[in-house]
Amino acid sequence: MHVLFVIDPLPRLKAYKDSSVAMMRALVARGHTLSVALQGDLFIDDGVVQVRATPIELVEGADLHGHDWWRDTGAAQDAPLSQYGAVLMRKDPPFDMEYVYSTHMLEYAQAQGAKVFNDAAAIRNHPEKLAITEFSELAAPTLVTRDMARLKAFHARHQDVIVKPLDGMGGTGIFRLQAVEPNLNAILETLTDDGARTIMAQRYIPEIVQGDKRILLIGGEAVPYALARIPLAGETRGNLAAGGRGVAQPLSERDREIAAIVAPRLAERGLLVVGLDVIGDYVTEVNVTSPTCFVEIAEQTGFDVAGMFATALERATA
């Protein structure tokens, strides 16, 4: 099978820990071939969704900490997306309008016979923070609004809350507002752009000190290990990008309960790979754009996460 990765520029990837690279390696090990393209390489010509993609191969034994772990095997060529055995949308956020346009083109390509994962419409229709509202029974008390009075009332009711932008990633823009917060007005004014931008507020979950767990759902099934991203001392964000430390651990009974509820519903929508963020007993985000943590879990537990993905992709394209 010829697999196309729509991805960020390869030289920017940290191949030694990148989940997309782990996917590539698992696919190549099974005899599949690869091409890569940037988001901007997608185009529509006379109604046909096409891509200018470059075929690559992985360099056996390469140092994944360097930049020579792949090489081109031919010149970039234009081709309809429907000619590939699978198209993997692995472009990292930000989820901006260019990303939205890409999901529209990928959706049109699916109508023309392309097999796209994650499903383009499903990616677009599952904003990663807002998506938890579909599973409100699994989430901590949550408010989504740009109304300052509502945000202040929510804070007064719960006393200790987390506020964050809806389009942030890597822990950016997240604030903890405790019972006494002298900068409450300034923080809310900044995040909402004086009431012009919608944000999310959630009751603070003290179990964050034990880690913000990433639970991977692949092909409708949960990987049996989560990566608990444990915050630095004095920090409320467990994101690895914010200095959190990743510790792999078996799924708890509650983790499995959550996965059993969420996984089948999302898999039916064509979401082949999903990353649930879970703190304590609560889901805090549903990541569908480019879920990560494959390598960290595999290295610490020996479980072949990328192999599980490759099996799921083969099954989905059969």
Side-chain angles (χ1 to χ4, degrees):
M1 177 169 60
H2 192 171
V3 181
L4 171 68
F5 280 76
V6 181
I7 196 167
D8 291 294
L10 297 188
R12 296 185 189 175
L13 304 184
K14 297 178 180 178
Y16 65 94
K17 67 173 184 177
D18 189 274
S19 294
S20 296
V21 176
M23 292 176 178
M24 292 180 185
R25 289 164 61 84
L27 291 168
V28 167
R30 295 176 179 224
H32 303 298
T33 56
L34 307 175
S35 285
V36 296
L38 304 180
Q39 184 175 246
D41 292 322
L42 297 170
F43 66 99
I44 301 175
D45 191 358
D46 283 337
V48 179
V49 184
Q50 302 187 56
V51 65
R52 185 163 187 79
T54 302
I56 67 166
E57 65 181 8
L58 304 186
V59 177
E60 188 174 354
D63 178 7
L64 297 183
H65 288 80
H67 296 293
D68 298 320
W69 52 271
W70 90 95
R71 56 175 164 251
D72 299 347
T73 59
Q77 295 186 341
D78 297 347
L81 264 67
S82 58
Q83 289 191 8
Y84 292 91
V87 178
L88 303 182
M89 181 52 164
R90 292 291 298 178
K91 170 71 177 66
D92 280 341
F95 194 97
D96 54 14
M97 284 307 300
E98 281 300 311
Y99 198 107
V100 172
Y101 297 146
S102 293
T103 66
H104 284 296
M105 286 193 280
L106 292 171
E107 186 178 6
Y108 301 154
Q110 287 176 263
Q112 296 168 2
K115 297 179 179 180
V116 178
F117 305 94
N118 282 331
D119 178 89
I123 291 177
R124 189 173 62 250
N125 293 336
H126 286 80
E128 298 184 331
K129 292 180 175 62
L130 284 176
I132 66 168
T133 60
E134 181 181 350
F135 306 98
S136 58
E137 74 278 13
L138 303 177
T142 299
L143 174 69
V144 179
T145 185
R146 61 183 183 178
D147 185 275
M148 296 285 284
R150 293 185 189 279
L151 288 164
K152 290 179 182 179
F154 185 86
H155 176 256
R157 183 163 65 252
H158 294 289
Q159 296 291 298
D160 198 353
V161 304
I162 294 291
V163 289
K164 53 188 173 182
L166 296 179
D167 59 354
M169 60 174 290
T172 57
I174 295 177
F175 291 88
R176 180 184 178 184
L177 305 178
Q178 294 180 275
V180 178
E181 175 50 70
N183 296 310
L184 175 65
N185 287 341
I187 290 171
L188 294 180
E189 289 165 3
T190 299
L191 284 182
T192 66
D193 194 14
D194 286 323
R197 181 177 300 146
T198 302
I199 67 170
M200 175 175 283
Q202 291 177 310
R203 188 187 70 195
Y204 176 71
I205 306 171
E207 289 85 355
I208 182 61
V209 297
Q210 300 166 14
D212 179 356
K213 291 177 286 186
R214 166 58 55 84
I215 298 174
L216 290 169
L217 310 178
I218 299 177
E221 300 180 4
V223 171
Y225 299 92
L227 189 74
R229 294 158 299 174
I230 301 172
L232 292 170
E235 177 62 80
T236 59
R237 300 170 300 170
N239 310 72
L240 299 182
R245 175 173 56 91
V247 178
Q249 55 189 227
L251 298 187
S252 68
E253 182 176 350
R254 175 60 173 170
D255 294 339
R256 291 192 294 271
E257 289 175 358
I258 291 171
I261 293 170
V262 177
R265 201 181 304 181
L266 298 186
E268 287 176 359
R269 300 170 189 169
L271 292 169
L272 187 70
V273 182
V274 176
L276 298 182
D277 288 351
V278 174
I279 301 174
D281 291 336
Y282 302 104
V283 178
T284 59
E285 289 190 24
V286 180
N287 296 275
V288 300
T289 50
S290 186
T292 61
C293 299
F294 279 43
V295 176
E296 293 90 344
I297 292 173
E299 288 182 345
Q300 293 184 39
T301 68
F303 184 84
D304 188 2
V305 183
M308 180 177 175
F309 163 78
T311 297
L313 183 65
E314 290 170 341
R315 186 182 301 124
T317 54

